[in-house]
PDB file of all heavy atoms in Angstrom:
ATOM      1  N   VAL B  64     128.198 117.958 159.228  1.00 89.00           N
ATOM      2  CA  VAL B  64     128.998 116.785 158.883  1.00 89.00           C
ATOM      3  C   VAL B  64     129.208 115.886 160.101  1.00 89.00           C
ATOM      4  O   VAL B  64     129.057 114.662 160.024  1.00 89.00           O
ATOM      5  CB  VAL B  64     130.376 117.221 158.318  1.00 89.00           C
ATOM      6  CG1 VAL B  64     131.217 116.006 157.975  1.00 89.00           C
ATOM      7  CG2 VAL B  64     130.175 118.113 157.103  1.00 89.00           C
ATOM      8  N   LEU B  65     129.546 116.518 161.243  1.00 91.00           N
ATOM      9  CA  LEU B  65     129.929 115.741 162.424  1.00 91.00           C
ATOM     10  C   LEU B  65     128.759 114.971 163.026  1.00 91.00           C
ATOM     11  O   LEU B  65     128.896 113.802 163.379  1.00 91.00           O
ATOM     12  CB  LEU B  65     130.531 116.677 163.490  1.00 91.00           C
ATOM     13  CG  LEU B  65     131.975 117.084 163.249  1.00 91.00           C
ATOM     14  CD1 LEU B  65     132.436 118.060 164.325  1.00 91.00           C
ATOM     15  CD2 LEU B  65     132.881 115.846 163.257  1.00 91.00           C
ATOM     16  N   ALA B  66     127.600 115.620 163.143  1.00 91.00           N
ATOM     17  CA  ALA B  66     126.476 114.968 163.815  1.00 91.00           C
ATOM     18  C   ALA B  66     126.055 113.671 163.114  1.00 91.00           C
ATOM     19  O   ALA B  66     125.945 112.636 163.777  1.00 91.00           O
ATOM     20  CB  ALA B  66     125.302 115.944 163.947  1.00 91.00           C
ATOM     21  N   PRO B  67     125.843 113.680 161.783  1.00 92.00           N
ATOM     22  CA  PRO B  67     125.495 112.403 161.134  1.00 92.00           C
ATOM     23  C   PRO B  67     126.599 111.361 161.274  1.00 92.00           C
ATOM     24  O   PRO B  67     126.323 110.179 161.417  1.00 92.00           O
ATOM     25  CB  PRO B  67     125.322 112.789 159.651  1.00 92.00           C
ATOM     26  CG  PRO B  67     125.055 114.232 159.655  1.00 92.00           C
ATOM     27  CD  PRO B  67     125.807 114.792 160.822  1.00 92.00           C
ATOM     28  N   LEU B  68     127.844 111.826 161.269  1.00 94.00           N
ATOM     29  CA  LEU B  68     128.977 110.909 161.396  1.00 94.00           C
ATOM     30  C   LEU B  68     128.938 110.213 162.753  1.00 94.00           C
ATOM     31  O   LEU B  68     129.090 108.982 162.849  1.00 94.00           O
ATOM     32  CB  LEU B  68     130.275 111.714 161.251  1.00 94.00           C
ATOM     33  CG  LEU B  68     131.470 110.973 160.687  1.00 94.00           C
ATOM     34  CD1 LEU B  68     131.199 110.513 159.266  1.00 94.00           C
ATOM     35  CD2 LEU B  68     132.716 111.846 160.732  1.00 94.00           C
ATOM     36  N   ILE B  69     128.714 111.000 163.798  1.00 95.00           N
ATOM     37  CA  ILE B  69     128.658 110.415 165.144  1.00 95.00           C
ATOM     38  C   ILE B  69     127.483 109.442 165.254  1.00 95.00           C
ATOM     39  O   ILE B  69     127.612 108.333 165.765  1.00 95.00           O
ATOM     40  CB  ILE B  69     128.538 111.534 166.211  1.00 95.00           C
ATOM     41  CG1 ILE B  69     129.802 112.399 166.186  1.00 95.00           C
ATOM     42  CG2 ILE B  69     128.319 110.936 167.595  1.00 95.00           C
ATOM     43  CD1 ILE B  69     129.720 113.644 167.045  1.00 95.00           C
ATOM     44  N   VAL B  70     126.324 109.869 164.733  1.00 94.00           N
ATOM     45  CA  VAL B  70     125.145 109.000 164.796  1.00 94.00           C
ATOM     46  C   VAL B  70     125.389 107.719 164.007  1.00 94.00           C
ATOM     47  O   VAL B  70     125.015 106.622 164.434  1.00 94.00           O
ATOM     48  CB  VAL B  70     123.885 109.741 164.280  1.00 94.00           C
ATOM     49  CG1 VAL B  70     122.691 108.800 164.245  1.00 94.00           C
ATOM     50  CG2 VAL B  70     123.576 110.937 165.148  1.00 94.00           C
ATOM     51  N   GLY B  71     126.064 107.841 162.860  1.00 93.00           N
ATOM     52  CA  GLY B  71     126.372 106.664 162.048  1.00 93.00           C
ATOM     53  C   GLY B  71     127.273 105.692 162.792  1.00 93.00           C
ATOM     54  O   GLY B  71     127.036 104.483 162.796  1.00 93.00           O
ATOM     55  N   LEU B  72     128.313 106.222 163.446  1.00 95.00           N
ATOM     56  CA  LEU B  72     129.219 105.363 164.218  1.00 95.00           C
ATOM     57  C   LEU B  72     128.471 104.699 165.366  1.00 95.00           C
ATOM     58  O   LEU B  72     128.650 103.510 165.651  1.00 95.00           O
ATOM     59  CB  LEU B  72     130.400 106.186 164.753  1.00 95.00           C
ATOM     60  CG  LEU B  72     131.410 106.612 163.691  1.00 95.00           C
ATOM     61  CD1 LEU B  72     132.486 107.512 164.306  1.00 95.00           C
ATOM     62  CD2 LEU B  72     132.075 105.383 163.060  1.00 95.00           C
ATOM     63  N   LEU B  73     127.592 105.483 166.002  1.00 94.00           N
ATOM     64  CA  LEU B  73     126.785 104.928 167.090  1.00 94.00           C
ATOM     65  C   LEU B  73     125.916 103.780 166.561  1.00 94.00           C
ATOM     66  O   LEU B  73     125.821 102.717 167.183  1.00 94.00           O
ATOM     67  CB  LEU B  73     125.907 106.031 167.691  1.00 94.00           C
ATOM     68  CG  LEU B  73     125.057 105.604 168.883  1.00 94.00           C
ATOM     69  CD1 LEU B  73     125.926 105.319 170.087  1.00 94.00           C
ATOM     70  CD2 LEU B  73     124.015 106.668 169.208  1.00 94.00           C
ATOM     71  N   GLY B  74     125.309 103.998 165.388  1.00 92.00           N
ATOM     72  CA  GLY B  74     124.472 102.959 164.779  1.00 92.00           C
ATOM     73  C   GLY B  74     125.279 101.699 164.504  1.00 92.00           C
ATOM     74  O   GLY B  74     124.852 100.586 164.838  1.00 92.00           O
ATOM     75  N   ALA B  75     126.474 101.865 163.933  1.00 93.00           N
ATOM     76  CA  ALA B  75     127.323 100.706 163.640  1.00 93.00           C
ATOM     77  C   ALA B  75     127.667  99.972 164.931  1.00 93.00           C
ATOM     78  O   ALA B  75     127.664  98.734 164.979  1.00 93.00           O
ATOM     79  CB  ALA B  75     128.593 101.156 162.920  1.00 93.00           C
ATOM     80  N   ALA B  76     127.924 100.746 165.993  1.00 93.00           N
ATOM     81  CA  ALA B  76     128.254 100.132 167.277  1.00 93.00           C
ATOM     82  C   ALA B  76     127.052  99.381 167.848  1.00 93.00           C
ATOM     83  O   ALA B  76     127.193  98.287 168.406  1.00 93.00           O
ATOM     84  CB  ALA B  76     128.731 101.202 168.264  1.00 93.00           C
ATOM     85  N   ILE B  77     125.867  99.964 167.676  1.00 93.00           N
ATOM     86  CA  ILE B  77     124.645  99.300 168.155  1.00 93.00           C
ATOM     87  C   ILE B  77     124.482  97.952 167.460  1.00 93.00           C
ATOM     88  O   ILE B  77     124.157  96.937 168.081  1.00 93.00           O
ATOM     89  CB  ILE B  77     123.401 100.177 167.891  1.00 93.00           C
ATOM     90  CG1 ILE B  77     123.402 101.400 168.814  1.00 93.00           C
ATOM     91  CG2 ILE B  77     122.111  99.369 168.075  1.00 93.00           C
ATOM     92  CD1 ILE B  77     122.335 102.418 168.474  1.00 93.00           C
ATOM     93  N   GLU B  78     124.745  97.932 166.148  1.00 91.00           N
ATOM     94  CA  GLU B  78     124.618  96.665 165.405  1.00 91.00           C
ATOM     95  C   GLU B  78     125.674  95.676 165.876  1.00 91.00           C
ATOM     96  O   GLU B  78     125.364  94.526 166.186  1.00 91.00           O
ATOM     97  CB  GLU B  78     124.775  96.933 163.904  1.00 91.00           C
ATOM     98  CG  GLU B  78     124.197  95.833 163.020  1.00 91.00           C
ATOM     99  CD  GLU B  78     125.043  94.582 162.940  1.00 91.00           C
ATOM    100  OE1 GLU B  78     126.280  94.649 163.073  1.00 91.00           O
ATOM    101  OE2 GLU B  78     124.462  93.498 162.748  1.00 91.00           O
ATOM    102  N   ARG B  79     126.907  96.139 165.964  1.00 92.00           N
ATOM    103  CA  ARG B  79     128.022  95.244 166.234  1.00 92.00           C
ATOM    104  C   ARG B  79     127.945  94.626 167.626  1.00 92.00           C
ATOM    105  O   ARG B  79     128.138  93.426 167.798  1.00 92.00           O
ATOM    106  CB  ARG B  79     129.342  96.015 166.058  1.00 92.00           C
ATOM    107  CG  ARG B  79     130.593  95.236 166.378  1.00 92.00           C
ATOM    108  CD  ARG B  79     130.773  94.079 165.407  1.00 92.00           C
ATOM    109  NE  ARG B  79     131.896  93.236 165.782  1.00 92.00           N
ATOM    110  CZ  ARG B  79     131.858  92.281 166.697  1.00 92.00           C
ATOM    111  NH1 ARG B  79     130.737  92.045 167.346  1.00 92.00           N
ATOM    112  NH2 ARG B  79     132.924  91.559 166.971  1.00 92.00           N
ATOM    113  N   TRP B  80     127.691  95.455 168.624  1.00 92.00           N
ATOM    114  CA  TRP B  80     127.763  94.949 169.999  1.00 92.00           C
ATOM    115  C   TRP B  80     126.394  94.723 170.643  1.00 92.00           C
ATOM    116  O   TRP B  80     126.297  94.245 171.749  1.00 92.00           O
ATOM    117  CB  TRP B  80     128.620  95.871 170.860  1.00 92.00           C
ATOM    118  CG  TRP B  80     130.055  95.713 170.517  1.00 92.00           C
ATOM    119  CD1 TRP B  80     130.847  94.634 170.809  1.00 92.00           C
ATOM    120  CD2 TRP B  80     130.888  96.624 169.784  1.00 92.00           C
ATOM    121  NE1 TRP B  80     132.112  94.829 170.288  1.00 92.00           N
ATOM    122  CE2 TRP B  80     132.173  96.029 169.670  1.00 92.00           C
ATOM    123  CE3 TRP B  80     130.665  97.881 169.210  1.00 92.00           C
ATOM    124  CZ2 TRP B  80     133.219  96.652 169.007  1.00 92.00           C
ATOM    125  CZ3 TRP B  80     131.715  98.488 168.553  1.00 92.00           C
ATOM    126  CH2 TRP B  80     132.976  97.873 168.455  1.00 92.00           C
ATOM    127  N   GLY B  81     125.326  95.144 169.940  1.00 90.00           N
ATOM    128  CA  GLY B  81     123.998  94.948 170.500  1.00 90.00           C
ATOM    129  C   GLY B  81     123.203  93.939 169.716  1.00 90.00           C
ATOM    130  O   GLY B  81     123.050  92.785 170.095  1.00 90.00           O
ATOM    131  N   LEU B  82     122.743  94.395 168.548  1.00 89.00           N
ATOM    132  CA  LEU B  82     121.850  93.569 167.735  1.00 89.00           C
ATOM    133  C   LEU B  82     122.440  92.218 167.371  1.00 89.00           C
ATOM    134  O   LEU B  82     121.752  91.208 167.369  1.00 89.00           O
ATOM    135  CB  LEU B  82     121.506  94.314 166.444  1.00 89.00           C
ATOM    136  CG  LEU B  82     120.258  95.170 166.482  1.00 89.00           C
ATOM    137  CD1 LEU B  82     120.082  95.879 165.166  1.00 89.00           C
ATOM    138  CD2 LEU B  82     119.034  94.314 166.788  1.00 89.00           C
ATOM    139  N   ARG B  83     123.725  92.186 167.056  1.00 87.00           N
ATOM    140  CA  ARG B  83     124.323  90.945 166.594  1.00 87.00           C
ATOM    141  C   ARG B  83     124.224  89.865 167.667  1.00 87.00           C
ATOM    142  O   ARG B  83     124.041  88.696 167.377  1.00 87.00           O
ATOM    143  CB  ARG B  83     125.783  91.176 166.192  1.00 87.00           C
ATOM    144  CG  ARG B  83     126.286  90.097 165.258  1.00 87.00           C
ATOM    145  CD  ARG B  83     127.679  90.389 164.775  1.00 87.00           C
ATOM    146  NE  ARG B  83     127.771  91.527 163.879  1.00 87.00           N
ATOM    147  CZ  ARG B  83     128.898  91.876 163.270  1.00 87.00           C
ATOM    148  NH1 ARG B  83     129.994  91.180 163.462  1.00 87.00           N
ATOM    149  NH2 ARG B  83     128.922  92.921 162.466  1.00 87.00           N
ATOM    150  N   THR B  84     124.349  90.286 168.927  1.00 89.00           N
ATOM    151  CA  THR B  84     124.214  89.333 170.029  1.00 89.00           C
ATOM    152  C   THR B  84     122.751  88.953 170.212  1.00 89.00           C
ATOM    153  O   THR B  84     122.408  87.788 170.346  1.00 89.00           O
ATOM    154  CB  THR B  84     124.746  89.966 171.327  1.00 89.00           C
ATOM    155  OG1 THR B  84     125.994  90.582 171.032  1.00 89.00           O
ATOM    156  CG2 THR B  84     124.928  88.932 172.399  1.00 89.00           C
ATOM    157  N   VAL B  85     121.895  89.970 170.208  1.00 89.00           N
ATOM    158  CA  VAL B  85     120.472  89.734 170.454  1.00 89.00           C
ATOM    159  C   VAL B  85     119.864  88.890 169.331  1.00 89.00           C
ATOM    160  O   VAL B  85     118.949  88.097 169.561  1.00 89.00           O
ATOM    161  CB  VAL B  85     119.741  91.095 170.573  1.00 89.00           C
ATOM    162  CG1 VAL B  85     118.257  90.886 170.749  1.00 89.00           C
ATOM    163  CG2 VAL B  85     120.310  91.891 171.725  1.00 89.00           C
TER     164      VAL B  85
END
Side-chain angles (χ1 to χ4, degrees):
Chain B
V64 179
L65 281 177
L68 209 63
I69 296 172
V70 176
L72 288 176
L73 183 69
I77 289 171
E78 200 284 331
R79 177 65 186 82
W80 287 288
L82 268 178
R83 201 175 291 185
T84 314
V85 177

